[in-house]
Amino acid sequence: DLSALLLASTLTLGACTSVKVQPVQAYGSGVYVVYGASRSASKAHSAILEEANAYCAKSEKQMAPISDKSVDRRQFEFKFSCQ
C-alpha cells in the first residue's frame, strides 16, 4: 500500500532529525541557561529539558523552569534553577 510506505518513510526521516544541545552555562544568581538547536522544535525542547534535568540531578536537586524562548526558528534558550 503506497500510503503505508509514505507514512513509514516520513516516520523514518522524522526520527533522523538531529538536535544539538550546548553545555549548561551559569547565567548568574543560581540561574543556568542551556541552548538547543534542531529543525524540530519539540525535539529541541525535549533535549533541552533532559539536559537541564540531568544537570540538576548531579547535585541531587530538582530542575525549576524559569523561562523558555525561541531565539530564532531553529535555536531555543531555556533558563532554569536547581532546587
Side-chain angles (χ1 to χ4, degrees):
D1 181 285
L2 182 60
S3 61
L5 181 60
L6 289 173
L7 177 61
S9 298
T10 302
L11 292 174
T12 302
L13 289 174
C16 295
T17 302
S18 66
V19 178
K20 295 179 183 174
V21 177
Q22 299 291 320
V24 173
Q25 302 171 18
Y27 192 76
S29 300
V31 176
Y32 302 93
V33 64
V34 61
Y35 296 93
S38 176
R39 291 185 201 176
S40 166
S42 63
K43 287 187 180 191
H45 283 138
S46 179
I48 289 169
L49 290 174
E50 286 179 27
E51 186 73 16
N53 277 315
Y55 185 83
C56 291
K58 289 179 192 175
S59 302
E60 297 182 2
K61 295 183 178 181
Q62 296 288 320
M63 186 272 295
I66 295 175
S67 69
D68 186 8
K69 73 176 187 174
S70 175
V71 177
D72 58 34
R73 286 182 33 199
R74 295 188 179 168
Q75 185 174 353
F76 305 91
E77 173 191 272
F78 181 70
K79 291 180 186 168
F80 65 98
S81 64
C82 298
Q83 300 178 358

